[in-house]
Amino acid sequence: MFSSTNLSLSLLILALLLSFSAAGKSSKSAPTKIGQGYRLIAAEETPDGGLVGHLQVKQKNNVYGPDIPNLQLFVKHETEDRLRVHITDAEKQRWEVPYNLLPRESPPALKQAIGRARKIPITTVAASEYSGSKLIFSFTADPFGFAVKRKSDGQVLFNSSSDESDPFGELVFKDQYLEISTKLPKDASLYGLGENTQPHGIKLYPNDPYTLYTTDISAINLNADLYGSHPVYMDLRNVNGQAYAHAVLLLNSNGMDVFYRGTSLTYKVIGGVFDFYFFAGSTPLGVVDQYTSFIGRPAPMPYWALGFHQCRWGYHNLSVVEEVVESYKKAQIPLDVIWNDDDHTDGKKDFTLNPTNYPRPKLLAFLEKIHSIGMKYIVINDPGISINSSYGVYQRGIANDVFIKYEGEPYIAQVWPGAVHFPDFLNPKTVSWWGDEIRRFHELAPIDGIWIDMNEASNFCSGKCRIPKGKQCPSGTGPGWICCLDCKNITKTRWDDPPYKINASGLQAPVGFKTIATSAVHYDGVLEYDAHSLYGFSEAVATHKGLLALEGKRPFILTRSTYVGSGKYSAHWTGDNKGTWEDLKYSISTMLNFGIFGVPMVGADICGFYPGPTEELCNRWIELGAFYPFSRDHANYYSPRQELYQWDSVAQSARNALGMRYKLLPYLYTLNYEAHVTGAPIARPLFFSFSTYTECYGLSTQFLLGSGLLISPVLEQGKTEVKALFPPGSWYSLFDMTQIIVSKGGKYVTLDAPLHVVNVHLYQNTIIPMQQGGLISKEARKTPFSLVVTFPAGESEGKAKGNLFLDEDELPEMKLGNGKSTYVDFYATVSEGNVKVWSEVQEGKFALDNAWIVEKVTVLGLDGNGAASAIEIGGMPVTSVAGVEVTSSEQVHVDDDKDGGGNIKSVMVQVGGLSLPVGKNFVLSWKMGLKN
């Protein structure tokens, strides 16, 4: 939805912020070094193998408030590749991310007696070590500092000690200001610390601001805190030609600035505790595996969710929605899911239907029609509940006492329906009430998923508000995002006006600006000040629970605001972007970052949310967006219509790009399974597969789907070619498999890219399963399979592998062993002209019950220019099998032979007319003719 972040509101924010000029010192003018840190005065081992220490402040000061005098240090190697370092007030409990929201081990109770167990000698000279399987924790006592080192190679991953020459100081721990830093090698490449729109690409850029605080400002704002908070970064280093990756998570939900200076990184946090988790790696995939094993594996997605989605704010009535669906069908453009923004609601109230524009009988008839062919329907739901005594959702909310409070009364804010209260999703009663409201609405309209928006939480007003008497609010005329409540600014508590000002919105906006007042109270006395960035996450957890209880189906949730662990419950889109070439490019970096964050189902609004794209831009955007993991066209109420059929040229590009996506659905669904099992991103930076090739460390204009499918889109106006980087190896065009690029040491190649063409290349040593495509995933899924096998071009010896996961895609769990799934490993070898392709099947019954077959096998990069002969299936000659056809074609080198690749001769062999059951092991083999 078009939130409170359009251009006119951005100007309003800027004007309002001028009134806060006295709100405190700028973070940039803050003292570089505060105090002398802490000293470690005692330490002991815990019975479970951890380490507990007692820290004492060295010299108190009052910069940003008084120091907390005594801290408890807890260190534990939780797994062989994960180390936790937890620092908190030794005297009293402080706010932490709730352990029931993000399950993890609890640290020892406070005031644990020192001296009952074996003490570790404390020395002010030498560092002491606490070693695990893969990581070593070392510390110095006075001033206290710690380092984390990888055992296998001795690399220091984190070092908090400060030297006089460092631009950062020692550990600082106050009630509302925590600071800690680490040294970094100057050649380390860092990724993460989001959500933000990074104009310099996926690599963190020294001296750019990285502020983490969930905020409703649109994605068009660069280098600003956006909808999500992910205080984690991946560090990739190349040491003597070897690549090493690790990750660092600071599990803290309070607002924070992170200053990356190139050789150091400093956290400045306005509350909570230091709760660090270090993930040893040492590959990028290994890091994400370790990270998601801790925060929660990505949610399994239903098969249809990987199809194409169409949405718009401004489908004024049901007939428009019906027309959109029919127009996609008429244009022969694939479409799986049709969405409604708030147009379907009664007065923009949650869980309602507009009786005039979306009458229930007609909507039910429409849903029955689209459900019968496999299409799905999703609607939006904002968290703000309209204050309306005749509104059942509100009545039940008040009766169940589910709303966030301010001074003992439900907090009043304004969003689209006018005055609202915000549900408190940290309250167990709220979770139950929310699930019941989902159930009630599903009985009203059998939706297939829920889109939760505005959940940063967004508020059109600031401060303490009341509903005005004697005037309508909103008035019904003019922009709906203008505050019409009677409000007064709140600065009376230290939560509303903290001593340190994070760089909120890139403008140091007050932390309660256009959101819930930070002194508002959640369940069990929790302050909004602490829990703010968890709001969207906690709503996603409640929504997931509610959907799961409906029919036992796999939930689909799209959320705007995210936090650490959100990927376990929901998909994400990148919010309000613009229809510009710059935004097209930025979308790649944001998408790739969310894969690292454990939210692999991600995409941007295709063609831009507002103010409307050019025809050329929309062509190029669908060519990119067809390969986002989450692929949806979405537009603003005030923008011209931009469905893909609105221009003949865009329709042609859509048929081409989405046509390929729908052929690749089995591959994408298998990547979805891998993400759920191992955390592996669906869309990945190239360095995930080519970690020793430093040229790709900052590459933000191309990406991989899985380990070896390279997408190289056009991102600039007027271009009909694209300069693409090809890491070392052989690459085959998926649209024309006779075309090949051989890159010996890695190189850039200029590729033809006319308006309707997107370049997609498949790497050597790979097998991907494909189907024939279609206009709806349900139908595409019934078509025969083909396998594409790639070897290094012209090599006499080669190996390739791939896999395929199939299941009953609406079961809650995505796993083997339930009788409703099949997993297949595919293998291929070539050796001295003998080609062999085979499968190894686990639990084949499900695939056999669905009668899936492999109809064609295409092998690329074979040595020789003769024909395939002596073809056998399971050791039996195929001469006795009717309908089998074998063709071979010489492959063409696209590049200009600068590194000698053009001297390599290779052929493509296709064996068609097969009928190999996917659910049974098969072996296909042949011999290649000799070269001339």
Side-chain angles (χ1 to χ4, degrees):
M1 181 187 286
F2 190 56
S3 63
S4 56
T5 56
N6 55 74
L7 184 58
S8 63
L9 187 64
S10 296
L11 294 173
L12 176 63
I13 289 174
L14 184 58
L16 286 171
L17 288 177
L18 296 176
S19 67
F20 293 103
S21 59
K25 294 179 180 178
S26 163
S27 58
K28 293 182 179 178
S29 64
T32 303
K33 299 187 179 183
I34 303 172
Q36 298 179 22
Y38 288 74
R39 64 170 63 91
L40 180 65
I41 61 170
E44 69 174 17
E45 289 183 357
T46 62
D48 62 351
L51 173 71
V52 173
H54 187 83
L55 302 175
Q56 194 173 74
V57 70
K58 293 187 67 174
Q59 184 176 334
K60 294 181 179 179
N61 65 69
N62 286 308
V63 179
Y64 301 131
D67 297 281
I68 293 177
N70 297 295
L71 304 178
Q72 176 175 284
L73 166 72
F74 173 60
V75 186
K76 187 178 180 184
H77 294 278
E78 293 189 336
T79 68
E80 68 172 16
D81 44 37
R82 183 174 81 231
L83 170 70
R84 183 184 191 182
V85 179
H86 182 277
I87 303 173
T88 187
D89 187 339
E91 305 295 329
K92 63 180 183 180
Q93 198 74 37
R94 286 180 63 80
W95 163 257
E96 299 187 43
V97 174
Y99 282 74
N100 62 343
L101 197 60
L102 191 68
R104 58 200 189 280
E105 292 184 38
S106 295
L110 300 177
K111 299 183 181 178
Q112 178 172 325
I114 295 290
R116 291 179 301 172
R118 184 173 69 83
K119 265 194 178 181
I120 296 172
I122 303 301
T123 167
T124 58
V125 182
S128 296
E129 289 190 349
Y130 166 54
S131 184
S133 299
K134 291 186 178 178
L135 295 173
I136 299 170
F137 173 85
S138 63
F139 60 86
T140 53
D142 189 6
F144 171 73
F146 71 89
V148 178
K149 185 165 61 175
R150 192 187 289 113
K151 215 171 186 178
S152 61
D153 51 53
Q155 285 189 53
V156 177
L157 312 185
F158 195 93
N159 181 2
S160 74
S161 295
S162 170
D163 300 326
E164 202 169 301
S165 59
D166 288 323
F168 56 86
E170 302 291 350
L171 171 70
V172 180
F173 205 115
K174 300 166 187 285
D175 192 23
Q176 289 183 266
Y177 182 81
L178 286 66
E179 180 183 320
I180 196 168
S181 302
T182 179
K183 295 177 171 67
L184 291 167
K186 63 181 179 182
D187 56 351
S189 297
L190 269 57
Y191 311 88
L193 295 180
E195 179 180 11
N196 57 38
T197 299
Q198 299 175 194
H200 297 107
I202 52 174
K203 274 179 67 171
L204 298 189
Y205 194 79
N207 302 314
D208 271 0
Y210 295 95
T211 298
L212 304 181
Y213 189 75
T214 61
T215 308
D216 174 16
I217 62 168
S218 66
I220 68 171
N221 292 276
L222 307 181
N223 292 325
D225 45 314
L226 300 181
Y227 313 106
S229 174
H230 295 270
V232 61
Y233 68 86
M234 180 186 289
D235 181 334
L236 177 63
R237 305 174 187 179
N238 190 291
V239 181
N240 299 321
Q242 294 295 312
Y244 302 91
H246 69 273
V248 179
L249 166 67
L250 173 55
L251 190 61
N252 181 303
S253 63
N254 290 83
M256 69 180 78
D257 287 329
V258 186
F259 293 91
Y260 172 49
R261 300 181 181 89
T263 56
S264 68
L265 187 142
T266 298
Y267 299 89
K268 298 186 177 187
V269 194
I270 61 172
V273 303
F274 285 130
D275 195 4
F276 280 105
Y277 292 83
F278 299 92
F279 303 91
S282 59
T283 65
L285 272 178
V287 167
V288 179
D289 186 359
Q290 294 156 19
Y291 181 59
T292 56
S293 73
F294 171 62
I295 67 166
R297 298 296 194 192
M301 294 291 151
Y303 201 88
W304 53 262
L306 292 161
F308 182 69
H309 304 243
Q310 177 61 51
C311 183
R312 175 181 173 81
W313 181 27
Y315 289 150
H316 302 294
N317 55 52
L318 181 59
S319 63
V320 179
V321 175
E322 293 172 319
E323 174 262 322
V324 170
V325 172
E326 285 303 311
S327 295
Y328 267 95
K329 182 179 178 181
K330 184 178 179 181
Q332 293 290 286
I333 300 171
L335 178 65
D336 259 77
V337 191
I338 187 71
W339 295 57
N340 263 127
D341 209 311
D342 69 2
D343 303 292
H344 67 287
T345 63
D346 181 10
K348 306 187 187 301
K349 298 191 296 292
D350 284 345
F351 304 117
T352 63
L353 290 177
N354 184 307
T356 303
N357 296 331
Y358 284 81
R360 183 170 182 256
K362 289 187 176 180
L363 179 62
L364 290 177
F366 169 71
L367 293 182
E368 184 177 1
K369 178 181 177 182
I370 66 168
H371 285 157
S372 70
I373 60 172
M375 281 189 64
K376 306 295 179 180
Y377 177 62
I378 294 174
V379 298
I380 200 168
N381 199 296
D382 295 342
I385 300 300
S386 177
I387 301 171
N388 185 325
S389 59
S390 63
Y391 174 35
V393 179
Y394 169 77
Q395 293 169 347
R396 291 184 290 272
I398 289 292
N400 285 282
D401 192 23
V402 303
F403 298 118
I404 292 171
K405 301 281 182 55
Y406 187 84
E407 296 179 340
E409 297 294 328
Y411 178 74
I412 298 175
Q414 180 190 330
V415 202
W416 296 112
V420 299
H421 296 320
F422 286 116
D424 174 13
F425 294 105
L426 298 182
N427 185 340
K429 285 200 304 183
T430 307
V431 176
S432 299
W433 162 81
W434 188 252
D436 185 59
E437 297 302 338
I438 290 173
R439 177 192 61 79
R440 289 169 181 268
F441 184 68
H442 190 265
E443 290 175 357
L444 194 66
I447 56 172
D448 300 289
I450 294 182
W451 170 19
I452 51 177
D453 191 15
M454 308 289 284
N455 51 354
E456 293 70 32
S458 180
N459 181 0
F460 297 164
C461 303
S462 298
K464 182 181 181 181
C465 303
R466 63 181 181 85
I467 300 172
K469 294 181 179 179
K471 74 171 184 178
Q472 184 178 340
C473 175
S475 66
T477 61
W481 54 82
I482 301 300
C483 179
C484 57
L485 301 178
D486 288 341
C487 303
K488 65 177 182 179
N489 190 29
I490 301 173
T491 56
K492 62 184 178 183
T493 76
R494 59 195 179 97
W495 315 115
D496 301 306
D497 188 24
Y500 176 80
K501 315 301 178 196
I502 60 171
N503 189 35
S505 304
L507 297 163
Q508 288 190 273
V511 287
F513 184 69
K514 294 295 177 105
T515 187
I516 300 167
T518 45
S519 50
V521 179
H522 291 253
Y523 175 73
D524 208 21
V526 170
L527 286 168
E528 168 69 11
Y529 180 87
D530 294 313
H532 171 81
S533 288
L534 298 176
Y535 194 83
F537 176 37
S538 61
E539 185 191 13
V541 174
T543 305
H544 188 274
K545 186 175 182 179
L547 282 175
L548 195 58
L550 284 180
E551 298 173 317
K553 288 185 178 181
R554 191 176 299 173
F556 178 82
I557 300 163
L558 184 72
T559 183
R560 191 169 74 180
S561 186
T562 58
Y563 185 72
V564 174
S566 285
K568 182 179 179 181
Y569 304 96
S570 58
H572 173 65
W573 94 108
T574 64
D576 296 350
N577 58 1
K578 258 186 173 178
T580 69
W581 293 93
E582 289 77 18
D583 284 74
L584 173 69
K585 184 176 179 179
Y586 299 151
S587 71
I588 297 176
S589 295
T590 306
M591 170 183 69
L592 296 179
N593 263 327
F594 269 88
I596 294 172
F597 297 151
V599 189
M601 189 64 168
V602 59
D605 282 348
I606 292 170
C607 298
F609 181 62
Y610 70 102
T614 64
E615 183 175 347
E616 181 191 359
L617 176 60
C618 206
N619 269 279
R620 294 309 190 184
W621 212 317
I622 187 54
E623 289 169 359
L624 167 58
F627 300 98
Y628 292 153
F630 173 63
S631 184
R632 184 184 73 158
D633 181 310
H634 178 40
N636 170 32
Y637 185 95
Y638 300 95
S639 297
R641 295 281 291 271
Q642 63 182 47
E643 292 85 4
L644 302 179
Y645 55 79
Q646 296 288 349
W647 302 272
D648 289 343
S649 69
V650 176
Q652 184 177 339
S653 293
R655 285 189 290 268
N656 189 42
L658 288 173
M660 180 57 75
R661 180 188 182 91
Y662 274 62
K663 291 176 184 177
L664 288 167
L665 284 176
Y667 177 67
L668 290 171
Y669 193 68
T670 302
L671 292 177
N672 174 28
Y673 172 70
E674 289 181 4
H676 180 55
V677 173
T678 71
I682 297 172
R684 307 172 190 174
L686 272 68
F687 67 75
F688 266 66
S689 291
F690 304 96
S691 57
T692 61
Y693 184 50
T694 56
E695 184 70 23
C696 68
Y697 281 15
L699 188 67
S700 307
T701 54
Q702 298 167 257
F703 61 95
L704 295 169
L705 291 176
S707 61
L709 192 62
L710 178 64
I711 315 299
S712 305
V714 171
L715 302 173
E716 296 178 68
Q717 184 176 2
K719 298 290 186 181
T720 56
E721 58 186 25
V722 61
K723 186 179 179 183
L725 179 65
F726 288 88
S730 300
W731 296 88
Y732 301 88
S733 169
L734 206 58
F735 281 96
D736 181 355
M737 287 183 274
T738 63
Q739 294 191 1
I740 179 175
I741 290 170
V742 176
S743 173
K744 288 194 173 178
K747 65 181 181 182
Y748 283 92
V749 178
T750 299
L751 305 170
D752 287 335
L755 189 60
H756 306 300
V757 170
V758 58
N759 281 279
V760 179
H761 289 83
L762 186 61
Y763 190 55
Q764 65 187 37
N765 308 323
T766 303
I767 302 176
I768 60 168
M770 298 174 68
Q771 285 175 288
Q772 293 177 359
L775 297 182
I776 297 175
S777 65
K778 181 180 178 180
E779 294 303 317
R781 202 177 186 199
K782 296 175 182 177
T783 61
F785 281 85
S786 61
L787 301 179
V788 180
V789 182
T790 60
F791 291 123
E795 297 289 334
S796 59
E797 304 283 330
K799 294 180 179 179
K801 62 182 180 178
N803 48 33
L804 173 65
F805 178 82
L806 301 161
D807 74 346
E808 183 62 58
D809 73 301
E810 292 199 337
L811 290 175
E813 291 295 325
M814 192 180 203
K815 63 181 182 181
L816 293 169
N818 58 8
K820 296 286 188 179
S821 55
T822 294
Y823 186 86
V824 186
D825 282 305
F826 297 110
Y827 301 95
T829 57
V830 59
S831 179
E832 296 179 349
N834 295 304
V835 181
K836 179 181 174 184
V837 181
W838 73 99
S839 70
E840 295 179 2
V841 180
Q842 297 179 51
E843 303 181 29
K845 182 178 182 300
F846 177 72
L848 292 172
D849 289 347
N850 282 274
W852 279 308
I853 62 165
V854 175
E855 185 183 62
K856 181 170 66 174
V857 174
T858 303
V859 181
L860 311 177
L862 291 170
D863 180 24
N865 52 18
S869 60
I871 300 171
E872 295 182 350
I873 299 175
M876 301 294 292
V878 299
T879 50
S880 59
V881 180
V884 174
E885 297 180 354
V886 182
T887 60
S888 61
S889 308
E890 187 169 337
Q891 295 187 288
V892 178
H893 288 260
V894 176
D895 49 326
D896 54 11
D897 190 28
K898 283 182 180 175
D899 64 359
N903 296 325
I904 299 170
K905 300 256 185 222
S906 63
V907 296
M908 172 181 78
V909 172
Q910 287 189 331
V911 182
L914 300 169
S915 188
L916 306 173
V918 172
K920 287 186 178 179
N921 294 351
F922 70 81
V923 179
L924 172 67
S925 63
W926 67 84
K927 292 182 179 180
M928 292 299 298
L930 298 175
K931 294 171 70 175
N932 290 334

